[in-house]
Every structure is written in C-alpha cells, then in structure tokens.
C-alpha cells in the first residue's frame, strides 16, 4: 500500500531534501504533499488523505507545536502520526514533543536508512494497535 | 574560543557537511586560507539562546552555495540563487543544532533564530579574519570560516 506523506517546513530546500530522501529510502511512497507552515498543512489535510506527516517545529504563521495540537484535537486528524524533523538534540524538548503526541523524532542530518526505520517503526506500531 | 569548543567544531562541522551535503571539509590553517581571498563571499549567521547565548556564522565563497544545493537537491540547472542560499542556510542551521548539543549536552533547550545570508565585501572579510572565535576549513578545495561566539 502506498503511503501518502505531507512534508511541513518553511524551507523549500528542506521539503525537497525530505521528499528526495524518502524516495531514496525505498519506501512505498504515494503522493508527497508540501506545506510551508502549520496553517498550510491543515489546508492540505482538509482536502487530501495523508498517512504520515513530517513537520518542522519553528515556522512562521503557525509552528509545528500548534499544528500537532490542532491535529490531536480534530476527530479526523488525531490518529495521523506526526514525525518531527529538527536540528534539536535536547532530550528535554524531545520529551515535550512526545507528550504532545508526536510519534517520532528525527534529528538532522539524517540518512535514507534512518527515515526508513522511523517510518517502519511508526507505521508498524499503528498496525499493532489496529491488530492488522 | 575555548579549546574544547574548537575541538568539537572541528569534528562536528565536517561530519554534518559530509552527511547532508556530501562534501568533505578539513580544518585548515587560517593563514593559508587568507591567501585565497579573491572571491565573492557570503556570510550566513544565526543566534541562539537558552543554556547560554551566542551566534554562529559560516563564511564561504559564493560558488560553494551552488555546490551545497546541487548535492542536497540534485538537478543543478533548476537551482536558482534563492535555492542555493536556502541550502546554505540549512547547512548552518543543522551545524548549529549539532554543535550546541555537543557543547552543552542533550539536556538543555536552545532557541535558534532563522539563519540570514548576506554578502560580505573584501573589507568586511579582512576585518572578520582579524577577529576572534574563527576557525578555518577547506571545503572541496575552497576556503571557509566558521565563527562560534558565546556571549553569556
């Protein structure tokens, strides 16, 4: 089954790098949607079926934390896993993100193998929860 | 710059560049690099605050930006100057996050500003090279400088 992905980052370069790395990771990627901030991401989510969100934290207009909070309070969006991609290495910040419902955290720079493992872990955990 | 910071930066910066932009960087003698100053230069800088505050800047010849963009994104023909600057900013951003984690450990939280890119005149570059907190590197046969300043 192809995975539809939404990549949220204010840098076009980072969005392209994540999309390119996902292709190199040999994952069954379907459509890749792009958004420059949390507000644009919510617009994409309102109109499209997305299986997985990759998001930055610090973005203009609406940051990653607010995006995650909005998704978790929405009946239709609350089960979509969110993977945060950031330069931060602080365990304190990572624990805060997990408490807000972030499924996984990827620290930059990352390799295709890292992304593949994280995606498999996150989607594998979802399958386990569903019993499928 | 503290000796331990210098050692961390000389290890972390080449690792980040190799992993994200597929280029090789080596620490260099600043005096040797000074002789290569005849290009258009760009400076990307960003501030950080939290456990301690300061600024990180990366100074490179403009053509290196295009190398970063091409290696990170592919399709050299499609990379505008804006995309090249964007790639340069991202290299600095990731370098900053990794240096701070190595210097301060994994506990402290830092807030980082958005990187800014500005052209640097030869005069500005000469002044900069006389300053403190500067480490020289050779990246793909081109000179580069990283400036890590801690204010508090």
């Amino acid at each position: 089954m192809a995975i539809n992905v939404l990549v949220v980052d204010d840098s076009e370069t980072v969005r392209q790098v994540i999309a390119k790395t996902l292709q190199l990771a040999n994952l069954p990627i379907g459509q890749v949607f792009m958004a420059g901030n949390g507000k644009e991401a919510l617009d994409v989510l309102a109109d499209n079926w997305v299986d997985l969100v990759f998001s930055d934290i610090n973005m203009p207009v609406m940051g990653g934390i607010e995006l995650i909070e909005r998704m978790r309070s929405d009946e239709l969006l609350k089960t979509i896993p969110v993977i945060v991609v950031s330069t931060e290495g602080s365990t304190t910040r990572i624990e805060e993100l997990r408490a807000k419902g972030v499924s996984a955290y990827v620290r930059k720079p990352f390799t295709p193998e890292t992304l593949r493992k994280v995606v498999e872990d996150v989607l594998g955990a979802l399958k386990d929860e569903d019993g499928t | 710059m503290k000796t331990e910071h210098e050692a961390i930066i000389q290890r972390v910066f080449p690792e980040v560049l190799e992993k994200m932009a597929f280029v090789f960087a080596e620490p260099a003698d600043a005096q040797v690099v000074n002789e290569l100053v005849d290009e258009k230069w760009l400076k990307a800088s960003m501030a950080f605050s939290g456990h301690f505050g300061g600024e990180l800047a990366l100074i490179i010849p403009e053509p290196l930006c295009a190398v970063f963009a091409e290696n990170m994104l592919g399709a050299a023909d499609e990379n505008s100057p804006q995309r090249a600057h964007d790639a340069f900013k991202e290299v600095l951003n990731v370098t900053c996050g990794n240096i701070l984690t190595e210097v301060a450990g994994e506990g402290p939280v830092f807030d980082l500003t958005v990187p800014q890119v500005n052209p640097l005149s030869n005069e500005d570059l000469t002044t900069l090279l006389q300053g403190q907190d500067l480490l020289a590197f050779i990246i793909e046969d081109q000179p580069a400088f990283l400036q890590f300043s801690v204010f508090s």
Side-chain angles (χ1 to χ4, degrees):
Chain A
M1 185 194 77
I3 307 161
N4 286 352
V5 172
L6 168 60
V7 181
V8 192
D9 198 296
D10 53 327
S11 162
E12 189 204 342
T13 299
V14 176
R15 296 197 298 268
Q16 296 295 343
V17 167
I18 292 173
K20 185 183 161 193
T21 310
L22 283 169
Q23 299 296 340
L24 292 172
N26 205 20
L27 287 160
I29 300 298
Q31 285 185 277
V32 179
F33 301 100
M34 305 279 190
N37 58 57
K39 186 174 180 301
E40 287 180 19
L42 291 172
D43 291 342
V44 172
L45 289 165
D47 294 337
N48 300 280
W49 179 262
V50 170
D51 300 295
L52 192 57
V53 175
F54 286 87
S55 181
D56 188 17
I57 293 298
N58 298 314
M59 293 177 286
V61 184
M62 184 192 293
I65 299 289
E66 188 176 347
L67 168 64
I68 292 156
E69 286 170 349
R70 297 269 191 115
M71 286 178 68
R72 293 296 170 251
S73 62
D74 184 297
E75 277 304 309
L76 287 174
L77 306 179
K78 68 181 180 187
T79 57
I80 299 174
V82 178
I83 298 172
V84 166
V85 182
S86 176
T87 59
E88 287 232 23
S90 163
T91 48
T92 311
R93 181 65 59 89
I94 294 167
E95 280 162 20
E96 282 171 12
L97 292 169
R98 286 198 182 276
K100 288 193 180 293
V102 167
S103 304
Y105 179 87
V106 176
R107 189 170 168 212
K108 299 175 190 172
F110 48 79
T111 61
E113 292 74 26
T114 307
L115 279 197
R116 182 182 174 89
K117 184 172 186 321
V118 169
V119 170
E120 285 177 345
D121 287 350
V122 167
L123 295 181
L126 280 183
K127 279 184 185 171
D128 291 345
E129 281 174 20
D130 291 349
T132 54
Chain B
M1 189 185 302
K2 288 184 182 175
T3 311
E4 65 260 36
H5 292 175
E6 204 172 303
I8 287 170
I9 292 167
Q10 285 179 331
R11 175 173 53 80
V12 170
F13 182 50
E15 283 173 1
V16 167
L17 275 183
E18 187 178 342
K19 214 166 179 180
M20 74 181 293
F22 312 107
V23 293
F24 297 97
E26 286 179 25
D29 178 5
Q31 295 306 315
V32 174
V33 173
N34 283 355
E35 295 168 12
L36 303 170
V37 180
D38 60 353
E39 301 234 27
K40 278 180 79 178
W41 289 75
L42 293 174
K43 177 183 177 182
S45 58
M46 62 191 294
F48 50 85
S49 57
H51 186 57
F52 50 81
E55 188 181 276
L56 183 72
L58 177 57
I59 300 105
I60 62 170
E62 195 170 24
L64 256 185
C65 275
V67 174
F68 291 160
E70 188 179 338
N71 288 5
M72 290 163 69
L73 301 166
D77 296 346
E78 296 169 17
N79 290 328
S80 63
Q82 182 54 47
R83 286 181 85 172
H85 284 197
D86 219 16
F88 182 28
K89 288 179 191 174
E90 184 59 12
V91 165
L92 180 75
N93 187 37
V94 177
T95 301
C96 188
N98 280 267
I99 287 174
L100 290 175
T101 304
E102 290 289 327
V103 168
E106 293 187 343
V109 176
F110 287 93
D111 290 317
L112 311 180
T113 62
V114 176
Q116 304 291 327
V117 173
N118 290 298
L120 211 60
S121 67
N122 276 339
E123 198 177 36
D124 291 339
L125 182 63
T126 307
T127 307
L128 198 83
L129 293 179
Q130 291 163 353
Q132 302 288 309
D133 304 329
L134 205 66
L135 289 175
F137 292 86
I138 295 288
I139 304 173
E140 302 286 298
D141 297 328
Q142 301 202 57
F145 302 95
L146 203 58
Q147 189 174 38
F148 181 67
S149 310
V150 174
F151 304 140
S152 57

